[in-house]
């Protein structure tokens, strides 16, 4: 078979075949009948992927894949016959490994790499049998004290595999089976060294420290590490181990992209005359803070408090479960482009590869990494289970040792919450696994990383949002009013704001061309909590009625297109309003991560990006809400409107704020302007009345007569250049009263290989939507005030896109489309 040379050895990626057989029908590969159906299979890959390539598996209507055995087989040809190592980086899930017909190893965890000593004969047969999980899921273990409703099989708590595929209601039942991570062959002579430990830190005095320990497999006279133009000789200790610390004075630190530059430095290792590339690294200092009352949870990077915002990762592809750079890059680049600075890999998903972390390093995205532990009462006293967990965390932290993006290591998701909600006392759901064992491993391998025992956690009841880390769904699943975002006294939301987010119409036309909402195909794509009498479309409809004073059930029956447009607009509005509360001056919130980043199937899922990779309306709302230079308005009732100006950048800013209240979306009733000098990493609150010089009922709280205006528009400008930086809007009578039939004027200009759409309006235009086939707008579903010109860049999506974009704009206040 052919093979690709890599620094880690030969990647065994070609020539594999797959045979599916009844569960436990055959004990060895030689027992399989010659006439058994065999197909080509990609490796790394899954059974679902191999079948889908042949048209024999439908991810939209999946069949169970955990009821049969799956045999992967390949022939290995070797030019050299020296001792080697076969490394299986991930086998899903209960697997037996055969060499030349003999079982030489087995794996019981999807999340562990397995090494098998191997002396090639020149032509060898390798086989892996993935045993059916269904019989094993029925096995009994230690009695569970609670049973989570969201999982379809309680047996998952005893098997180290992903929960993806076993959470009906929001995840398609695509089961992970197969060699989902690479298989490599490395000769022992190629393994010049093994990494024992490595990590970086940024000292308080600004120096970068690179700690390194390696084990050399040969006699070596000189071993040194080089980074950022400086070298340090490593000292021999014992058993072939060399270790040392390279100190780099005044190193350029790594920052989340919202707060600075994610600077990376190459790291190389010299062993006598041989030079090895270890990768890149960054230097940063992570601290957690808990506030004056001890109830908060916040992250400081390099001594600076960082408001963490982003989303929860699902997977790059629910069928393939891929782990390469090209698989991750479209999703993570869109996350960074939206102004996110943190991605959480939740405990119901799967560990991602070092390529994921390398991209996050480059993009300035912090990673909150859960252990793959979620909801269950795990057998934490079972030594076999604990051995798996210790191997998982050791391999994870070793593989990501030089990644500055790894910021938080969390003991898992909602185990504390499940036990507490069942009425059990703390002694039942809080134990040594998450309180002692895991933090000890973090302290040993990555003391530079913050540790959180579980998500959520903190307080007498771990799920209350007003202490430490919460999962906040007050605005969202619990249908609370928007002011609950402040009333909840949220400290940090590791997940929040889940809605059934409607994709752009082009995605629906291609992938879900049915009538919303009650077509069975549509309803199958709407996420729901298992066993609940409502789904997340009901949640979105609640806020549709609240914000726009419409009856959703009537509207979708009479005017489905307008229903969908309002549904897209409402989720963007909700996240902008909620994050304005959480980022305002005086807020108790230190961060919030939206559930989720991407959909698993095309449709109205939780993702802010649809399954085809196209941003939804909520993505654009988040992009506006996440700006490092930000302007926000908050309704303080009888205290009027407060203007919040935020500068998260590393430089002082001279800014201009102007505010205008418009009657009928056109006539200025009152205006005001002020200059603001805002220091780096600072924010400021300005009462709107300070700009007017006299009382004006901006919030229409006093109600001394009829309302004088229907929308307040605030703008933030750079004082020197005049560049427009941000806008914010307030609707004292509600959004429905600010619907105006705007006439949109457009001009398409071309400059430096980029097409830009200039947009003006004669009257306030609410939720302006840009349609341009083959192009992606830089902003969408945005509000526009008269007298302003917005510049919308149009990004070409593929080479087939026309030379000159064409399309249309429309706003919620009018059915008219304006073509360009």
């Amino acid at each position: 078979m052919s093979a690709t040379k890599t620094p880690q050895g030969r990647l065994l990626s070609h020539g594999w075949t797959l045979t599916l057989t009844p569960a436990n029908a055959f004990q060895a590969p030689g027992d399989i009948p010659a006439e058994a159906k065999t197909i080509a299979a990609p490796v790394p890959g899954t059974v679902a992927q191999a079948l889908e390539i042949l048209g024999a598996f439908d991810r939209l209507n999946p069949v169970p894949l955990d009821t049969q055995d799956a045999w992967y087989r390949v022939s290995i040809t070797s030019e050299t016959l020296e001792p080697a190592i076969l490394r299986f980086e991930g086998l899903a899930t209960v697997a037996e490994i055969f060499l030349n017909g003999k079982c030489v190893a087995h794996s019981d965890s999807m999340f562990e790499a397995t090494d098998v000593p191997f002396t090639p004969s020149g032509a060898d047969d390798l086989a892996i049998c993935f045993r059916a999980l269904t019989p094993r899921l029925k096995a009994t273990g230690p009695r569970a004290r609670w049973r989570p409703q969201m999982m379809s099989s309680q047996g998952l708590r005893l098997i180290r595999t992903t929960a993806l595929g076993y959470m009906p209601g929001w995840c398609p039942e695509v089961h992970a089976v197969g060699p989902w991570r690479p298989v490599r062959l490395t000769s022992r002579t190629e393994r010049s060294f093994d990494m024992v430990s490595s990590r970086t830190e940024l000292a308080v005095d600004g120096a970068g420290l690179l700690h390194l320990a390696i084990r050399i497999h040969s006699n070596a006279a000189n071993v040194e590490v080089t980074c950022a133009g400086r070298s340090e000789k490593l000292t021999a200790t014992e058993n072939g181990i060399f270790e040392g610390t390279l100190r780099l004075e005044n190193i350029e630190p790594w920052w989340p992209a919202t707060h600075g530059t994610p600077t990376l430095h190459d790291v190389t290792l010299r062993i006598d005359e041989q030079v090895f590339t270890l990768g890149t690294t960054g230097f940063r200092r992570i601290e957690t803070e808990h506030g004056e009352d001890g109830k908060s949870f916040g992250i400081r990077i390099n001594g600076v408090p960082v408001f963490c915002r982003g989303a929860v990762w699902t997977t790059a592809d629910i069928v393939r479960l891929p782990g390469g750079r090209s698989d991750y890059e479209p999703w993570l680049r869109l996350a960074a482009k939206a102004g996110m600075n943190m991605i959480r890999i939740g405990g119901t998903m799967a560990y991602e590869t070092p390529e994921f972390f390398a991209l996050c390093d480059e993009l300035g995205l912090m990673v909150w990494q859960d252990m793959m532990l979620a909801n269950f009462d795990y057998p934490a006293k079972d030594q076999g289970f604990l051995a798996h967990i210790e191997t998982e965390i050791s391999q994870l932290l070793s593989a990501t040792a030089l990644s500055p993006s790894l910021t938080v290591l969390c003991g898992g998701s909602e185990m504390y919450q499940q036990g507490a909600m069942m009425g059990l006392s703390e002694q039942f759901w809080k134990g040594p696994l998450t309180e002692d064992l895991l933090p000890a491993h973090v302290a040993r391998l990555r003391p530079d990383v913050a540790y959180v025992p579980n998500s959520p956690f903190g307080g007498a009841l771990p799920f209350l949002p007003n202490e430490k880390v919460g999962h906040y769904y007050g605005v969202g699943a619990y249908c609370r009013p928007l002011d609950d975002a402040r009333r909840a006294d949220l400290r940090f939301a590791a997940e929040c704001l889940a809605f059934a987010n409607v994709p752009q119409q082009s995605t629906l036309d291609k992938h879900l061309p049915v009538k919303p909402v009650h077509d069975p195909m549509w309803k199958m794509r709407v996420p729901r909590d298992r066993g609940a009498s409502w789904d997340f479309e009901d949640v979105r409809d609640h806020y549709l009625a609240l914000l726009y004073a419409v009856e959703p059930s009537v509207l979708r029956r009479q005017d489905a297109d307008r229903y969908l447009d309002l549904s897209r607009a409402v989720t963007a509005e909700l996240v902008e309003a909620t994050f304005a509360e959480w980022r305002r001056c005086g807020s108790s919130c230190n961060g919030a991560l939206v559930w989720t980043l991407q959909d698993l199937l095309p449709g109205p899922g939780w993702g802010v990006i649809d399954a085809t990779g196209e941003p939804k309306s909520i993505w654009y709302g988040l992009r506006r809400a996440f700006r490092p230079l930000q302007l926000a308005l908050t309704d303080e009732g009888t205290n009027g409107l407060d203007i919040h100006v935020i500068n998260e950048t590393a430089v002082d800013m001279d800014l201009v704020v102007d505010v205008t209240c418009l009657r009928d979306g056109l006539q200025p009733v009152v205006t005001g302007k002020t200059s603001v000098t805002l220091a780096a990493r600072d924010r400021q609150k300005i009462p709107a009345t300070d700009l007017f010089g006299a009382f004006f009922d901006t919030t229409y709280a006093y109600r001394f007569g009829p309302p004088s205006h229907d929308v307040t528009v605030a703008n933030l400008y750079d004082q020197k250049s005049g560049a427009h930086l941000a806008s914010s809007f307030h609707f004292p009578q509600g959004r429905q009263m600010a619907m105006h039939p705007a006439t949109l004027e457009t001009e398409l200009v071309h400059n430096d290989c980029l097409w830009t759409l200039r947009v003006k309006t004669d009257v306030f235009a609410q939720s302006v939507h840009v349609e341009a086939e083959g192009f992606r707008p830089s902003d969408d579903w945005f509000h526009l005030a008269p007298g302003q010109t917005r510049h919308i860049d149009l990004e070409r999506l593929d080479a087939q896109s026309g030379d000159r974009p064409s399309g249309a704009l429309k706003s919620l206040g009018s059915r008219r489309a304006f073509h360009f």
Side-chain angles (χ1 to χ4, degrees):
M1 60 168 288
S2 61
T4 303
K5 284 283 188 178
T6 73
Q8 296 83 22
R10 293 169 56 191
L11 181 63
L12 304 183
S13 57
H14 301 289
W16 290 84
T17 62
L18 167 64
T19 306
L20 298 176
T21 63
N24 299 314
F26 306 109
Q27 298 306 305
D31 300 336
I32 302 173
E35 64 273 15
K37 183 178 180 180
T38 298
I39 63 174
V43 174
T46 65
V47 171
Q49 178 185 0
L51 294 176
E52 187 177 61
I53 291 171
L54 296 177
F57 183 84
D58 182 2
R59 66 176 66 200
L60 305 180
N61 187 27
V63 296
L65 296 175
D66 59 357
T67 59
Q68 9 178 22
D69 292 347
W71 293 82
Y72 279 76
R73 290 178 284 183
V74 72
S75 295
I76 304 175
T77 57
S78 306
E79 295 179 0
T80 60
L81 306 183
E82 59 188 22
I85 295 291
L86 274 169
R87 184 171 181 84
F88 303 86
E89 296 186 8
L91 303 174
T93 289
V94 176
E96 297 166 2
I97 300 167
F98 296 84
L99 278 170
N100 300 319
K102 180 181 178 181
C103 185
V104 294
H106 70 276
S107 173
D108 293 324
S109 173
M110 174 179 174
F111 306 128
E112 298 174 22
T114 301
D115 287 348
V116 177
F118 171 52
T119 301
S121 66
D124 298 277
D125 294 324
L126 170 64
I128 314 170
C129 178
F130 297 90
R131 296 297 181 183
L133 275 190
T134 295
R136 290 161 176 81
L137 290 172
K138 296 176 182 178
T140 59
R143 185 171 179 267
R145 291 162 292 186
W146 65 83
R147 296 167 62 88
Q149 288 295 312
M150 66 181 290
M151 306 294 184
S152 61
S153 173
Q154 300 303 312
L156 284 173
R157 75 187 186 100
L158 304 176
I159 298 177
R160 299 306 298 146
T161 195
T162 180
L164 290 169
Y166 294 96
M167 296 177 286
W170 73 269
C171 177
E173 295 185 59
V174 179
H175 301 133
V177 182
W180 72 303
R181 292 293 182 244
V183 179
R184 301 183 190 275
L185 176 63
T186 306
S187 70
R188 291 187 181 274
T189 56
E190 288 179 317
R191 294 181 63 172
S192 301
F193 66 94
D194 286 324
M195 189 73 69
V196 176
S197 66
S198 59
R199 64 180 177 87
T200 64
E201 63 175 297
L202 183 69
V204 176
D205 63 4
L209 303 176
L210 172 58
H211 307 279
L212 193 65
I214 61 170
R215 178 177 286 107
I216 306 293
H217 296 307
S218 60
N219 293 326
N222 184 55
V223 180
E224 66 178 23
V225 61
T226 300
C227 180
R230 293 281 306 279
S231 299
E232 180 72 24
K233 187 174 181 179
L234 302 185
T235 303
T237 56
E238 57 182 2
N239 299 323
I241 293 178
F242 288 73
E243 61 184 17
T245 297
L246 172 61
R247 181 179 176 89
L248 301 163
E249 302 292 346
N250 300 313
I251 193 71
E252 185 69 27
W254 184 93
W255 289 95
T258 52
H259 286 65
T261 302
T263 303
L264 296 173
H265 309 272
D266 292 331
V267 183
T268 59
L269 179 71
R270 179 184 291 275
I271 302 176
D272 292 333
E273 299 305 315
Q274 287 186 299
V275 177
F276 301 89
T277 298
L278 299 185
T280 60
T281 195
F283 297 87
R284 84 285 182 268
R285 184 172 65 260
I286 298 172
E287 301 162 294
T288 58
E289 57 182 5
H290 303 292
E292 294 182 1
D293 61 2
K295 295 182 178 181
S296 288
F297 178 84
I299 299 290
R300 281 180 174 266
I301 303 294
N302 307 330
V304 174
V306 172
F307 184 91
C308 303
R309 66 272 201 169
V312 180
W313 175 265
T314 53
T315 178
D317 188 295
I318 185 61
V319 167
R320 298 189 296 120
L321 299 179
R325 181 185 176 97
S326 61
D327 302 298
Y328 296 132
E329 193 160 9
W331 306 105
L332 293 178
R333 287 202 178 277
L334 282 174
K337 188 176 287 189
M340 298 183 187
N341 62 20
M342 179 173 275
I343 297 293
R344 175 180 168 220
I345 304 175
T348 53
M349 312 304 176
Y351 300 112
E352 300 297 346
T353 64
E355 286 80 0
F356 181 96
F357 290 87
L359 261 171
C360 290
D361 295 342
E362 295 174 25
L363 296 171
L365 289 167
M366 299 178 287
V367 179
W368 173 305
Q369 173 72 67
D370 280 9
M371 295 295 294
M372 293 303 118
L373 299 166
N375 299 79
F376 287 112
D377 178 22
Y378 289 97
K381 295 181 180 180
D382 180 83
Q383 292 304 307
F385 172 82
L386 291 177
H388 281 308
I389 299 301
E390 291 185 25
T391 301
E392 279 177 33
I393 191 169
S394 296
Q395 292 185 352
L396 170 69
L397 295 181
S398 295
T400 59
L402 292 177
S403 287
S405 58
L406 182 57
T407 302
V408 177
L409 193 289
C410 177
S413 172
E414 295 191 351
M415 292 115 73
Y416 287 13
Q417 173 175 302
Q418 287 283 338
M421 281 191 164
M422 294 296 178
L424 299 174
S425 63
E426 182 179 288
Q427 62 179 329
F428 290 101
W429 45 262
K430 181 185 286 188
L433 171 61
T434 53
E435 297 291 330
D436 301 319
L437 186 146
L438 290 175
H441 281 288
V442 173
R444 176 174 60 88
L445 293 170
R446 289 296 301 267
D448 58 308
V449 170
Y451 178 76
V452 170
N454 211 245
S455 182
F457 91 103
L461 294 174
F463 48 83
L464 299 182
N466 63 355
E467 189 162 348
K468 299 295 173 60
V469 174
H471 290 181
Y472 176 78
Y473 293 110
V475 175
Y478 306 145
C479 295
R480 301 288 298 167
L482 268 61
D483 62 10
D484 187 75
R486 182 183 300 194
R487 185 180 296 118
D489 192 23
L490 178 67
R491 306 307 178 95
F492 192 106
E495 58 187 67
C496 64
L497 300 176
F499 304 100
N501 296 306
V502 178
Q504 306 282 26
Q505 192 59 43
S506 58
T507 298
L508 294 182
D509 290 343
K510 293 177 183 177
H511 300 281
L512 193 60
V514 298
K515 290 289 186 182
V517 159
H518 293 299
D519 186 287
M521 287 184 62
W522 178 283
K523 211 62 178 173
M524 285 174 61
R525 311 286 176 85
V526 177
R528 67 184 309 128
D529 284 337
R530 189 167 179 246
S533 60
W534 51 272
D535 61 28
F536 282 81
E537 196 140 53
D538 297 324
V539 172
R540 191 190 67 232
D541 281 354
H542 169 83
Y543 290 102
L544 196 64
L546 183 67
L547 268 62
Y548 296 105
V550 297
E551 177 48 59
S553 63
V554 175
L555 182 62
R556 66 182 178 234
R557 184 168 61 246
Q558 297 179 350
D559 192 343
D561 290 342
R562 181 159 181 79
Y563 169 79
L564 289 177
D565 280 344
L566 283 172
S567 295
R568 296 181 181 107
V570 73
T571 54
E573 292 290 280
L574 286 168
V575 295
E576 284 198 76
T578 306
F579 274 98
E581 282 289 351
W582 290 339
R583 293 185 68 193
R584 66 180 171 83
C585 300
S587 170
S588 61
C589 183
N590 296 303
L593 310 177
V594 174
W595 183 270
T596 60
L597 180 67
Q598 70 269 71
D599 282 340
L600 302 175
L601 296 175
W606 281 319
V608 303
I609 307 170
D610 73 32
T612 73
E614 188 61 25
K616 301 182 187 179
S617 59
I618 188 174
W619 182 89
Y620 291 97
L622 291 172
R623 190 178 190 187
R624 294 187 289 269
F626 288 169
R627 291 175 290 218
L629 277 169
Q630 180 65 316
L631 180 75
L633 298 175
T634 59
D635 188 328
E636 306 299 327
T638 53
N639 291 318
L641 275 183
D642 276 350
I643 306 165
H644 303 268
V645 190
I646 302 168
N647 176 21
E648 292 179 332
T649 73
V651 297
D652 298 348
M653 296 294 298
D654 294 322
L655 305 166
V656 174
V657 177
D658 73 33
V659 177
T660 303
C661 298
L662 298 175
R663 177 186 297 129
D664 299 327
L666 175 63
Q667 181 64 42
V669 178
V670 64
T671 63
K673 180 185 290 187
T674 189
S675 298
V676 179
T677 297
L678 203 57
R681 322 294 193 196
D682 199 7
R683 53 186 174 178
Q684 184 175 333
K685 179 180 73 174
I686 308 169
T689 51
D690 287 3
L691 275 65
F692 303 147
F695 168 74
F696 183 77
D697 192 5
T698 50
T699 58
Y700 194 50
Y702 292 89
R703 301 179 184 269
F704 296 153
S708 58
H709 65 296
D710 50 51
V711 62
T712 297
V713 181
N715 291 297
L716 183 68
Y717 300 93
D718 180 88
Q719 192 175 95
K720 294 183 178 69
S721 67
H724 179 264
L725 302 173
S727 295
S728 188
F729 304 87
H730 178 257
F731 303 91
Q733 305 174 65
R735 288 163 176 79
Q736 184 63 25
M737 297 303 293
M739 293 287 184
H740 302 292
T743 298
L744 301 175
E745 180 183 336
T746 65
E747 180 186 7
L748 193 61
V749 296
H750 189 256
N751 187 31
D752 294 331
C753 301
L754 179 68
W755 287 99
T756 298
L757 191 64
R758 296 174 180 170
V759 187
K760 295 181 181 179
T761 180
D762 62 337
V763 66
F764 177 72
Q766 192 171 164
S767 297
V768 177
H769 172 47
V770 182
E771 295 178 350
E773 186 175 358
F775 292 82
R776 179 181 297 149
S778 58
D779 201 5
D780 204 3
W781 301 96
F782 57 89
H783 304 323
L784 184 62
Q788 287 185 315
T789 300
R790 290 295 307 277
H791 295 75
I792 308 299
D793 294 333
L794 300 177
E795 176 190 358
R796 190 186 305 274
L797 295 179
D798 54 57
Q800 280 67 47
S801 299
D803 291 336
R804 182 182 178 90
S806 62
L809 281 80
K810 58 182 180 178
S811 66
L812 287 185
S814 171
R815 295 183 179 275
R816 183 180 173 188
F818 298 87
H819 297 273
F820 60 88

